[in-house]
Amino acid sequence: MRTALRYAVVASLATLLTGCLVGPNYKNPNVPLPVQFRGTITPADEKSLADTKWEDLFPDPVLRQLVTTALKQNFNLQLAAERVLQSQAQLDSRRANLLPFLNIPAQWTATRGSSIGSLPFIKEGTNLSYAYTQLGLGATWEVDLWGRLRRMNESARAQMLASEENRLAVRMALVAEVMNTYFELLEQDRELSIGEQTRDVAQNGLRLTTLRRDQGVATGLDVHQAEQLLYTATAQIAAAKRNIAQTENALSLLMGEAPGDVARGSELEQVARPADLPPGLPSSLLTRRPDIRSAEQMLISANAEIGVARAQYFPALSLNAFLGGQSRRVSDIFTDPARFAFITPATSLPIFHAGQIRANVRVTEAQQRQALLTYQETIFTGLRDASDALVANAQTREQVNQQQLLVAALTETTRLSRVRYEGGLDSFLQVLDSQRNLFQGQLVLAQLRMVELQSVVGLYRALGGGWQ
């Protein structure tokens, strides 16, 4: 009874001592944020484009299916999920250190002592050989007096949460990358269509110019000039086909599939962008962007590691206990006379470590300051991403409008130059220049439409949408 009481007192004292926790407790850094994003025109409110589900961003069922497939099969996303499981296992491993470890130690010992050895009081020739068996339940426990183990657990938990945020960041990036690649594919389809249309026009123009030369109305120079537009268009067709195949291969890899054909839904001009693109409040990035949340978790982890290092200044206490039997004969090991037990508290107080503990503390403090700077930089990078996306979206939209007007003017110029050439008022060079300008203008318009859609995706991602 007295032994049990002593054990209870020791356990209660250890429990009280585990209330100590060295090292700084984490506090949210005060990072000053602007009241609205740079590049916004109207006053900011809480409504944000990031609240939109990615499925509702663009009304294209084929695009939705491509993104869904990528979210199920993408290799990078699966790797990120495995890293989360790895971090969870590391957290479980560190958390286990807070509890006693139980084992079943089994031991058989045989010793043959020297009968003429170092013990002068034992009669020479005495048999000092013996053998015994020991079996029971053993326990070891490091009492967390100063919170070292709890700080280690806090650090591991923060790292696990950071890995989960990284997985969400990979998911968000994947949604954006599939969308951008799909729009790139639609733009290349449009380039192929423009090239084929221009080729048909050039072939017809070459046929008519050749006929006019044969009739003595046009010259050989006109024929060669007509060939220039044809070869420019056919070269563009070849380039577009090459780009389409490579983009389909890239999209297949994003979906975790072997290279192959990729389905299309709407044409580039038919993809409708969201009518309203509210950015929300800058402070919402702290909760919406996984990269910012991941950086904060790494800061929490670095902060906890300071406590782990500082705990090395203080004594460490461990308890070892055993309850079982010890007997020379195995058959008697479970009998009452063979009962065997012990408990061994052990402590270690650092006296001289040549400055190693102090150096380790300085290392963790420097790492914490680095993590704080990384966290602040990540926040301001998010603000820049959002501002860049807002400016890009607004200016690209205006550029598309102006390019549409330019293409309309070039179309009319091409028609009039053809009429004047056929009427003998202008040379074929005027026709060729107008057709080439129209060709290039149409290609630029297709590229700008793609950039406009991608700017919406960029704004959506910069604001922290796409992973919900």
Side-chain angles (χ1 to χ4, degrees):
M1 176 64 72
R2 291 181 178 178
T3 302
L5 181 60
R6 285 198 297 268
Y7 290 168
V9 171
V10 171
S12 300
L13 179 61
T15 301
L16 292 175
L17 289 174
T18 54
C20 301
L21 196 65
V22 299
N25 293 322
Y26 176 75
K27 296 181 180 179
N28 289 327
N30 184 17
V31 180
L33 297 175
V35 295
Q36 67 180 36
F37 293 105
R38 184 169 186 250
T40 55
I41 300 176
T42 58
D45 56 25
E46 295 184 357
K47 184 180 179 182
S48 173
L49 178 67
D51 295 327
T52 306
K53 294 182 178 180
W54 67 261
E55 300 95 325
D56 302 329
L57 196 60
F58 297 102
D60 190 327
V62 174
L63 176 58
R64 294 194 195 104
Q65 183 58 46
L66 294 176
V67 175
T68 301
T69 303
L71 292 176
K72 292 179 180 178
Q73 301 178 179
N74 180 262
F75 294 111
N76 288 336
L77 190 57
Q78 293 182 59
L79 287 172
E82 292 299 327
R83 284 191 285 269
V84 173
L85 296 178
Q86 176 183 338
S87 298
Q88 290 174 342
Q90 291 172 341
L91 173 60
D92 293 339
S93 176
R94 284 198 171 185
R95 185 178 293 161
N97 292 325
L98 294 169
L99 302 174
F101 291 169
L102 300 178
N103 304 287
I104 300 179
Q107 177 181 343
W108 180 77
T109 304
T111 302
R112 183 186 185 281
S114 173
S115 61
I116 56 173
S118 62
L119 301 176
F121 51 84
I122 296 179
K123 184 180 179 181
E124 185 175 335
T126 302
N127 185 10
L128 298 178
S129 300
Y130 65 92
Y132 69 92
T133 301
Q134 182 174 301
L135 178 66
L137 179 64
T140 59
W141 182 34
E142 179 182 350
V143 183
D144 193 21
L145 291 175
W146 316 109
R148 184 181 73 90
L149 298 180
R150 280 170 287 162
R151 289 298 191 190
M152 292 175 61
N153 182 69
E154 180 183 349
S155 175
R157 181 177 182 274
Q159 292 177 14
M160 185 274 293
L161 294 176
S163 67
E164 173 62 21
E165 297 298 344
N166 290 335
R167 185 190 69 84
L168 295 177
V170 172
R171 176 185 172 90
M172 183 176 72
L174 177 61
V175 171
E177 190 171 4
V178 171
M179 288 183 175
N180 285 336
T181 307
Y182 179 72
F183 294 144
E184 185 178 347
L185 186 60
L186 294 185
E187 189 274 333
Q188 291 163 355
D189 287 342
R190 179 59 183 150
E191 286 190 7
L192 178 60
S193 176
I194 293 172
E196 291 174 341
Q197 293 173 2
T198 304
R199 178 201 58 193
D200 295 340
V201 170
Q203 286 177 338
N204 185 57
L206 177 60
R207 180 182 60 81
L208 293 176
T209 304
T210 303
L211 180 60
R212 288 170 61 87
R213 183 201 61 185
D214 295 341
Q215 295 175 350
V217 180
T219 65
L221 178 61
D222 293 337
V223 173
H224 291 305
Q225 289 174 339
E227 291 175 340
Q228 293 177 22
L229 181 62
L230 175 61
Y231 299 146
T232 301
T234 53
Q236 177 62 38
I237 291 172
K241 289 182 178 180
R242 179 197 63 217
N243 294 336
I244 287 172
Q246 293 176 344
T247 304
E248 286 181 326
N249 292 343
L251 200 50
S252 297
L253 180 60
L254 290 175
M255 294 187 294
E257 298 176 348
D261 295 336
V262 176
R264 274 72 149 179
S266 306
E267 294 183 357
L268 183 65
E269 295 85 351
Q270 297 172 342
V271 179
R273 50 169 270 165
D276 190 20
L277 302 174
L281 299 174
S283 59
S284 65
L285 296 185
L286 302 182
T287 57
R288 284 197 174 106
R289 283 186 60 125
D291 57 339
I292 295 178
R293 295 200 305 270
S294 175
E296 183 178 15
Q297 291 300 328
M298 294 308 297
L299 175 59
I300 294 174
S301 175
N303 189 78
E305 291 294 334
I306 296 177
V308 175
R310 288 182 180 176
Q312 299 296 325
Y313 282 122
F314 302 95
L317 175 64
S318 62
L319 300 177
N320 296 300
F322 177 85
L323 176 62
Q326 186 183 91
S327 174
R328 290 188 296 273
R329 291 186 298 181
V330 178
S331 59
D332 296 335
I333 199 169
F334 295 110
T335 62
D336 188 66
R339 187 173 59 184
F340 177 71
F342 70 83
I343 181 170
T344 307
T347 186
S348 175
L349 176 64
I351 299 298
F352 176 71
H353 283 227
Q356 184 186 59
I357 297 177
R358 184 171 63 253
N360 290 336
V361 172
R362 291 204 307 268
V363 168
T364 56
E365 289 174 343
Q367 291 173 339
Q368 189 268 350
R369 292 192 295 270
Q370 294 173 38
L372 175 59
L373 292 172
T374 300
Y375 174 63
Q376 294 172 334
E377 182 184 24
T378 305
I379 292 176
F380 289 119
T381 299
L383 292 173
R384 176 194 171 180
D385 291 344
S387 179
D388 286 350
L390 286 167
V391 172
N393 189 271
Q395 299 305 317
T396 303
R397 182 59 180 169
E398 177 62 22
Q399 197 174 1
V400 168
N401 293 335
Q402 297 302 315
Q403 189 68 23
Q404 287 176 332
L405 297 176
L406 176 60
V407 169
L410 291 173
T411 301
E412 182 63 15
T413 299
T414 301
R415 186 187 69 81
L416 293 176
S417 63
R418 169 66 66 176
V419 171
R420 289 176 62 84
Y421 169 69
E422 293 175 353
L425 298 177
D426 278 334
S427 68
F428 190 77
L429 182 59
Q430 300 296 327
V431 177
L432 177 63
D433 286 342
S434 62
Q435 289 177 333
R436 280 191 301 208
N437 290 337
L438 176 60
F439 180 48
Q440 293 300 323
Q442 290 173 329
L443 292 177
V444 171
L445 178 58
Q447 293 168 358
L448 287 175
R449 282 172 171 160
M450 175 195 69
V451 172
E452 180 186 13
L453 295 174
Q454 290 180 339
S455 69
V456 175
V457 177
L459 177 60
Y460 185 58
R461 178 180 177 180
L463 296 176
W467 58 267
Q468 293 91 339

